[in-house]
mmCIF file with all atom_site columns, all heavy atoms in Angstrom:
data_model
loop_
_atom_site.group_PDB
_atom_site.id
_atom_site.type_symbol
_atom_site.label_atom_id
_atom_site.label_alt_id
_atom_site.label_comp_id
_atom_site.label_asym_id
_atom_site.label_entity_id
_atom_site.label_seq_id
_atom_site.pdbx_PDB_ins_code
_atom_site.Cartn_x
_atom_site.Cartn_y
_atom_site.Cartn_z
_atom_site.occupancy
_atom_site.B_iso_or_equiv
_atom_site.pdbx_formal_charge
_atom_site.auth_seq_id
_atom_site.auth_comp_id
_atom_site.auth_asym_id
_atom_site.auth_atom_id
_atom_site.pdbx_PDB_model_num
ATOM 1  N N   . LEU N 1 101 ? -111.078 -123.688 -27.363 1.00 96.00 ? 122 LEU N N   1
ATOM 2  C CA  . LEU N 1 101 ? -110.136 -122.909 -26.582 1.00 96.00 ? 122 LEU N CA  1
ATOM 3  C C   . LEU N 1 101 ? -109.199 -123.785 -25.915 1.00 96.00 ? 122 LEU N C   1
ATOM 4  O O   . LEU N 1 101 ? -108.003 -123.415 -25.606 1.00 96.00 ? 122 LEU N O   1
ATOM 5  C CB  . LEU N 1 101 ? -110.878 -122.039 -25.643 1.00 96.00 ? 122 LEU N CB  1
ATOM 6  C CG  . LEU N 1 101 ? -110.202 -120.690 -25.251 1.00 96.00 ? 122 LEU N CG  1
ATOM 7  C CD1 . LEU N 1 101 ? -110.015 -119.819 -26.485 1.00 96.00 ? 122 LEU N CD1 1
ATOM 8  C CD2 . LEU N 1 101 ? -111.018 -120.003 -24.185 1.00 96.00 ? 122 LEU N CD2 1
ATOM 9  N N   . THR N 1 102 ? -109.562 -125.007 -25.564 1.00 97.00 ? 123 THR N N   1
ATOM 10 C CA  . THR N 1 102 ? -108.677 -125.924 -24.840 1.00 97.00 ? 123 THR N CA  1
ATOM 11 C C   . THR N 1 102 ? -107.779 -126.738 -25.732 1.00 97.00 ? 123 THR N C   1
ATOM 12 O O   . THR N 1 102 ? -107.027 -127.626 -25.268 1.00 97.00 ? 123 THR N O   1
ATOM 13 C CB  . THR N 1 102 ? -109.521 -126.859 -23.955 1.00 97.00 ? 123 THR N CB  1
ATOM 14 O OG1 . THR N 1 102 ? -110.580 -127.431 -24.773 1.00 97.00 ? 123 THR N OG1 1
ATOM 15 C CG2 . THR N 1 102 ? -110.196 -126.142 -22.799 1.00 97.00 ? 123 THR N CG2 1
ATOM 16 N N   . ALA N 1 103 ? -107.895 -126.587 -27.099 1.00 97.00 ? 124 ALA N N   1
ATOM 17 C CA  . ALA N 1 103 ? -107.052 -127.356 -27.992 1.00 97.00 ? 124 ALA N CA  1
ATOM 18 C C   . ALA N 1 103 ? -106.820 -126.484 -29.259 1.00 97.00 ? 124 ALA N C   1
ATOM 19 O O   . ALA N 1 103 ? -107.372 -126.745 -30.304 1.00 97.00 ? 124 ALA N O   1
ATOM 20 C CB  . ALA N 1 103 ? -107.780 -128.630 -28.439 1.00 97.00 ? 124 ALA N CB  1
ATOM 21 N N   . LEU N 1 104 ? -106.059 -125.465 -29.063 1.00 97.00 ? 125 LEU N N   1
ATOM 22 C CA  . LEU N 1 104 ? -105.744 -124.547 -30.178 1.00 97.00 ? 125 LEU N CA  1
ATOM 23 C C   . LEU N 1 104 ? -104.804 -125.159 -31.171 1.00 97.00 ? 125 LEU N C   1
ATOM 24 O O   . LEU N 1 104 ? -103.726 -125.643 -30.813 1.00 97.00 ? 125 LEU N O   1
ATOM 25 C CB  . LEU N 1 104 ? -105.151 -123.265 -29.585 1.00 97.00 ? 125 LEU N CB  1
ATOM 26 C CG  . LEU N 1 104 ? -106.079 -122.477 -28.629 1.00 97.00 ? 125 LEU N CG  1
ATOM 27 C CD1 . LEU N 1 104 ? -105.295 -121.311 -28.015 1.00 97.00 ? 125 LEU N CD1 1
ATOM 28 C CD2 . LEU N 1 104 ? -107.317 -121.990 -29.338 1.00 97.00 ? 125 LEU N CD2 1
ATOM 29 N N   . PRO N 1 105 ? -105.082 -125.157 -32.486 1.00 96.00 ? 126 PRO N N   1
ATOM 30 C CA  . PRO N 1 105 ? -104.246 -125.715 -33.512 1.00 96.00 ? 126 PRO N CA  1
ATOM 31 C C   . PRO N 1 105 ? -103.079 -124.768 -33.960 1.00 96.00 ? 126 PRO N C   1
ATOM 32 O O   . PRO N 1 105 ? -102.857 -124.486 -35.069 1.00 96.00 ? 126 PRO N O   1
ATOM 33 C CB  . PRO N 1 105 ? -105.183 -125.971 -34.661 1.00 96.00 ? 126 PRO N CB  1
ATOM 34 C CG  . PRO N 1 105 ? -106.149 -124.824 -34.532 1.00 96.00 ? 126 PRO N CG  1
ATOM 35 C CD  . PRO N 1 105 ? -106.337 -124.564 -33.091 1.00 96.00 ? 126 PRO N CD  1
ATOM 36 N N   . LEU N 1 106 ? -102.304 -124.369 -32.916 1.00 97.00 ? 127 LEU N N   1
ATOM 37 C CA  . LEU N 1 106 ? -101.331 -123.369 -33.079 1.00 97.00 ? 127 LEU N CA  1
ATOM 38 C C   . LEU N 1 106 ? -100.058 -123.738 -32.392 1.00 97.00 ? 127 LEU N C   1
ATOM 39 O O   . LEU N 1 106 ? -100.062 -124.442 -31.378 1.00 97.00 ? 127 LEU N O   1
ATOM 40 C CB  . LEU N 1 106 ? -101.777 -121.977 -32.514 1.00 97.00 ? 127 LEU N CB  1
ATOM 41 C CG  . LEU N 1 106 ? -103.046 -121.359 -33.181 1.00 97.00 ? 127 LEU N CG  1
ATOM 42 C CD1 . LEU N 1 106 ? -103.539 -120.251 -32.320 1.00 97.00 ? 127 LEU N CD1 1
ATOM 43 C CD2 . LEU N 1 106 ? -102.794 -120.991 -34.538 1.00 97.00 ? 127 LEU N CD2 1
ATOM 44 N N   . PRO N 1 107 ? -98.853  -123.302 -32.905 1.00 97.00 ? 128 PRO N N   1
ATOM 45 C CA  . PRO N 1 107 ? -97.629  -123.732 -32.285 1.00 97.00 ? 128 PRO N CA  1
ATOM 46 C C   . PRO N 1 107 ? -97.379  -122.993 -30.991 1.00 97.00 ? 128 PRO N C   1
ATOM 47 O O   . PRO N 1 107 ? -98.016  -121.956 -30.656 1.00 97.00 ? 128 PRO N O   1
ATOM 48 C CB  . PRO N 1 107 ? -96.607  -123.314 -33.363 1.00 97.00 ? 128 PRO N CB  1
ATOM 49 C CG  . PRO N 1 107 ? -97.203  -122.244 -34.090 1.00 97.00 ? 128 PRO N CG  1
ATOM 50 C CD  . PRO N 1 107 ? -98.656  -122.569 -34.139 1.00 97.00 ? 128 PRO N CD  1
ATOM 51 N N   . ASP N 1 108 ? -96.540  -123.536 -30.152 1.00 98.00 ? 129 ASP N N   1
ATOM 52 C CA  . ASP N 1 108 ? -96.127  -122.868 -28.914 1.00 98.00 ? 129 ASP N CA  1
ATOM 53 C C   . ASP N 1 108 ? -95.534  -121.530 -29.141 1.00 98.00 ? 129 ASP N C   1
ATOM 54 O O   . ASP N 1 108 ? -94.867  -121.291 -30.161 1.00 98.00 ? 129 ASP N O   1
ATOM 55 C CB  . ASP N 1 108 ? -95.066  -123.752 -28.168 1.00 98.00 ? 129 ASP N CB  1
ATOM 56 C CG  . ASP N 1 108 ? -95.582  -125.087 -27.734 1.00 98.00 ? 129 ASP N CG  1
ATOM 57 O OD1 . ASP N 1 108 ? -96.825  -125.369 -27.897 1.00 98.00 ? 129 ASP N OD1 1
ATOM 58 O OD2 . ASP N 1 108 ? -94.732  -125.873 -27.230 1.00 98.00 ? 129 ASP N OD2 1
ATOM 59 N N   . ALA N 1 109 ? -95.816  -120.601 -28.267 1.00 98.00 ? 130 ALA N N   1
ATOM 60 C CA  . ALA N 1 109 ? -95.209  -119.280 -28.267 1.00 98.00 ? 130 ALA N CA  1
ATOM 61 C C   . ALA N 1 109 ? -95.499  -118.480 -29.565 1.00 98.00 ? 130 ALA N C   1
ATOM 62 O O   . ALA N 1 109 ? -94.565  -117.763 -29.993 1.00 98.00 ? 130 ALA N O   1
ATOM 63 C CB  . ALA N 1 109 ? -93.732  -119.415 -27.945 1.00 98.00 ? 130 ALA N CB  1
ATOM 64 N N   . LEU N 1 110 ? -96.552  -118.690 -30.164 1.00 97.00 ? 131 LEU N N   1
ATOM 65 C CA  . LEU N 1 110 ? -96.902  -117.972 -31.483 1.00 97.00 ? 131 LEU N CA  1
ATOM 66 C C   . LEU N 1 110 ? -97.084  -116.510 -31.238 1.00 97.00 ? 131 LEU N C   1
ATOM 67 O O   . LEU N 1 110 ? -96.614  -115.685 -32.018 1.00 97.00 ? 131 LEU N O   1
ATOM 68 C CB  . LEU N 1 110 ? -98.137  -118.603 -32.083 1.00 97.00 ? 131 LEU N CB  1
ATOM 69 C CG  . LEU N 1 110 ? -98.747  -117.826 -33.231 1.00 97.00 ? 131 LEU N CG  1
ATOM 70 C CD1 . LEU N 1 110 ? -97.911  -118.040 -34.461 1.00 97.00 ? 131 LEU N CD1 1
ATOM 71 C CD2 . LEU N 1 110 ? -100.205 -118.222 -33.495 1.00 97.00 ? 131 LEU N CD2 1
ATOM 72 N N   . ALA N 1 111 ? -97.905  -116.145 -30.213 1.00 98.00 ? 132 ALA N N   1
ATOM 73 C CA  . ALA N 1 111 ? -98.355  -114.806 -30.077 1.00 98.00 ? 132 ALA N CA  1
ATOM 74 C C   . ALA N 1 111 ? -97.513  -113.935 -29.117 1.00 98.00 ? 132 ALA N C   1
ATOM 75 O O   . ALA N 1 111 ? -97.134  -114.342 -28.047 1.00 98.00 ? 132 ALA N O   1
ATOM 76 C CB  . ALA N 1 111 ? -99.821  -114.799 -29.621 1.00 98.00 ? 132 ALA N CB  1
ATOM 77 N N   . ASP N 1 112 ? -97.334  -112.679 -29.553 1.00 98.00 ? 133 ASP N N   1
ATOM 78 C CA  . ASP N 1 112 ? -96.776  -111.722 -28.623 1.00 98.00 ? 133 ASP N CA  1
ATOM 79 C C   . ASP N 1 112 ? -97.844  -111.215 -27.671 1.00 98.00 ? 133 ASP N C   1
ATOM 80 O O   . ASP N 1 112 ? -97.567  -110.869 -26.548 1.00 98.00 ? 133 ASP N O   1
ATOM 81 C CB  . ASP N 1 112 ? -96.184  -110.536 -29.430 1.00 98.00 ? 133 ASP N CB  1
ATOM 82 C CG  . ASP N 1 112 ? -95.075  -110.862 -30.336 1.00 98.00 ? 133 ASP N CG  1
ATOM 83 O OD1 . ASP N 1 112 ? -93.999  -111.300 -29.863 1.00 98.00 ? 133 ASP N OD1 1
ATOM 84 O OD2 . ASP N 1 112 ? -95.315  -110.913 -31.568 1.00 98.00 ? 133 ASP N OD2 1
#
Side-chain angles (χ1 to χ4, degrees):
L122 207 61
T123 50
L125 298 173
L127 300 169
D129 294 354
L131 168 77
D133 299 291

